[in-house]
């Protein structure tokens, strides 16, 4: 579509700094190490692997973070045909989710970026999208996975219910806890 790759221009003050390649190398090494058979009491990592992991864990000086806007990391691409009840705005059928690899989702309103698109208008897809030179911490980097969307009914929390209904549910759960029958689903933990 000829548009620039989305970036984050927020000011970041990381206390840790690493690279995407370091995060990927660390994950590769640890995954391989866990798969290897090893006698009890031996180290998980080989001496060479430990050197790499120690270097990656040391990170980089946060002063190395460039001041220019950072490319966002792709997190998910969801199609309306695959996700029940995806609330697509008119004329769109795809949601692209990207995020800034420096912000806690709970702390920053700008951490997650959403783009609604018409899938048929997406052309010339990038096989290797731009990547930021550095990221905050390794757990800010998503791991490839597969999602299996499903419809879920969300029930309100006790404090959002009418007082009489909340008390009825709480009373019923107390009864179920004292029942010797097999475990029944509880409102708070299971629903």
């Amino acid at each position: 579509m000829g548009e620039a790759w989305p970036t984050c221009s927020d000011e970041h003050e990381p206390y840790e700094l690493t690279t995407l390649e370091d995060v990927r190398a660390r994950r590769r090494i640890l995954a391989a190490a866990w798969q290897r058979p090893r006698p009890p009491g031996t180290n998980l990592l080989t001496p060479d692997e430990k050197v790499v992991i120690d270097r990656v864990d040391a990170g980089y000086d946060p002063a190395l973070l460039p001041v220019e806007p950072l490319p966002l990391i792709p997190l998910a691409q969801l199609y309306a045909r695959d996700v029940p009840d995806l609330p697509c705005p008119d004329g769109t059928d795809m949601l692209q989710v990207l995020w800034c690899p420096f912000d806690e989702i709970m702390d920053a309103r700008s951490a997650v970026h959403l783009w609604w698109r018409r899938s048929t208008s997406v052309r010339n897809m990038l096989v290797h999208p731009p990547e930021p030179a550095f990221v905050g911490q390794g757990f800010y980097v998503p791991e490839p996975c597969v999602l299996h969307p499903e419809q879920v009914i969300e029930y309100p929390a006790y404090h959002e219910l009418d007082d009489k209904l909340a008390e009825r549910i709480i009373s019923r759960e107390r009864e179920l806890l004292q029942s010797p029958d097999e475990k029944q689903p509880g409102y708070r933990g299971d629903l």
Side-chain angles (χ1 to χ4, degrees):
M1 293 176 33
E3 62 190 71
W5 186 262
T7 60
C8 178
S9 56
D10 289 354
E11 187 173 315
H12 302 287
E13 295 181 26
Y15 54 90
E16 288 187 38
L17 208 57
T18 188
T19 67
L20 286 171
E21 187 48 45
D22 283 350
V23 170
R24 292 174 186 136
R26 184 178 203 285
R27 289 177 181 171
R28 249 187 336 269
I29 289 169
L30 291 175
W34 281 110
Q35 296 301 316
R36 256 189 326 259
R38 62 186 171 89
T42 60
N43 290 330
L44 177 66
L45 301 173
T46 67
D48 290 342
E49 290 171 334
K50 180 146 178 32
V51 167
V52 173
I53 295 293
D54 288 347
R55 183 194 54 78
V56 167
D57 288 349
Y60 299 88
D61 181 354
L64 294 173
L65 183 65
V67 293
E68 68 263 5
L70 302 164
L72 297 175
I73 293 178
L75 188 59
Q77 183 164 286
L78 308 171
Y79 292 89
R81 68 179 182 261
D82 299 328
V83 182
D85 299 325
L86 184 65
C88 298
D90 288 343
T92 66
D93 65 343
M94 178 174 66
L95 171 62
Q96 293 175 323
V97 183
L98 296 99
W99 85 332
C100 179
F102 285 93
D103 296 322
E104 291 280 0
I105 286 180
M106 301 299 284
D107 295 339
R109 300 180 83 165
S110 62
V112 177
H113 300 257
L114 306 176
W115 275 270
W116 291 97
R117 305 205 185 269
R118 181 186 314 264
S119 60
T120 56
S121 67
V122 176
R123 306 256 187 269
N124 304 324
M125 292 189 292
L126 293 176
V127 176
H128 301 288
E131 295 183 336
F134 294 98
V135 298
Q137 299 175 45
F139 58 80
Y140 289 152
V141 179
E143 294 192 48
C145 64
V146 176
L147 297 177
H148 300 282
E150 63 180 83
Q151 290 176 304
V152 175
I153 297 172
E154 290 192 45
Y155 294 95
Y158 292 129
H159 69 274
E160 295 173 336
L161 297 171
D162 169 84
D163 289 343
K164 285 185 177 183
L165 179 57
E167 187 51 45
R168 280 182 41 214
I169 291 171
I170 292 169
S171 294
R172 178 69 180 137
E173 287 194 325
R174 284 184 188 136
E175 289 173 21
L176 290 173
L177 284 173
Q178 296 173 3
S179 171
D181 299 336
E182 64 182 70
K183 182 165 172 11
Q184 298 291 316
Y187 183 85
R188 181 176 179 193
D190 298 309
L191 301 179

